[in-house]
Amino acid sequence: MNKRVLITGSSRGIGKAIALKLAAAGYDIALHFHSNLQAATDTQTELVACGINVSLLQFDVADRPAVKHAIEQDIAEHGAYYGVVLNAGITRDTAFPAMTEQEWDSVIHTNLDGFYNVVHPTVMPMVQNRKGGRIITLASVSGIAGNRGQVNYSASKAGIIGATKALSLELAKRKITVNCIAPGLIETDMVNDFPKEMVDQIVPMKRMGKPNEIAGLALFLLSEDAAYITRQVISVNGGMI
């Protein structure tokens, strides 16, 4: 039986790249999306072509009751996850003095509350399965160094890093590792409008990263070779920090 991994926000971008990389390696996938059903079904078709099993979950990671219901139902039907990859997130960038309550709340509820909402219903089934497991969170260079115009996003991602490190201590004896990937500028819809000249100025490698370069690290962290790696924040940012 294949190991099964839940990946939030996996219908496109980094999440999709991770899903495809894991599917090619033989993992079954719980494919999560929020609203873009077409993108999700297209990704599902690509994953099924790899010869693996795919379950489709739709919810807003900020909606705690909806998340709990969907995950518990999926686990009841297909069994506990071996891995969870927390990829879903949003930005609402603006200078802090002009930041609205909605711009603050939406980012915190999605990016940080989403950690609790998704991980909490998955942990005990993973523990009770007694087969170890992997939890991977995605933070950001902004969560490590902070970034102008991203006080809300930086706060949410710094919170993810703290939560990751704390949870890793609680789960280490259960052979469940908890690690964080902190990407820099990655070629996704989120940075479509980022000026090329700015990339050259702030990234020593003078290019954006590719989603597959994040996916490769996620695949490694899910593997048996990474069984002794936990509580770590691994940056993938072309040397930005």
Side-chain angles (χ1 to χ4, degrees), residues 82 123 126-127 130-135 163-179 226-232:
Y82 175 74
V123 164
M126 194 182 289
V127 169
R130 299 182 182 275
K131 294 182 180 178
R134 304 283 187 266
I135 296 172
T164 298
K165 290 188 173 188
L167 184 61
S168 70
L169 297 176
E170 296 187 15
L171 297 180
K173 65 183 179 182
R174 307 287 189 176
K175 299 181 181 179
I176 298 171
T177 66
V178 190
N179 291 292
Y228 200 55
I229 300 172
T230 197
R231 206 184 181 192
Q232 302 307 303

Side-chain angles (χ1 to χ4, degrees), residues 33 66 98 143 180 221 229 241:
F33 71 104
C180 179
L221 290 174
I229 300 172
I241 57 172

Side-chain angles (χ1 to χ4, degrees), residues 18-100:
I18 293 172
L20 289 170
K21 181 76 76 174
L22 298 188
Y27 289 89
D28 289 337
I29 303 296
L31 172 67
H32 161 261
F33 71 104
H34 179 196
S35 57
N36 193 334
L37 177 60
Q38 186 62 57
T41 53
D42 288 348
T43 300
Q44 183 181 29
T45 300
E46 292 183 58
L47 295 173
V48 170
C50 295
I52 55 104
N53 297 309
V54 182
S55 57
L56 204 60
L57 286 74
Q58 180 178 14
F59 52 77
D60 177 355
V61 296
D63 184 344
R64 187 167 297 155
V67 177
K68 187 173 187 291
H69 174 76
I71 288 177
E72 288 181 346
Q73 184 176 47
D74 189 56
I75 290 175
E77 292 178 7
H78 304 288
Y81 305 118
Y82 175 74
V84 178
V85 180
L86 291 170
N87 168 73
I90 63 170
T91 57
R92 296 290 184 268
D93 297 352
T94 191
F96 187 72
M99 186 174 292
T100 66

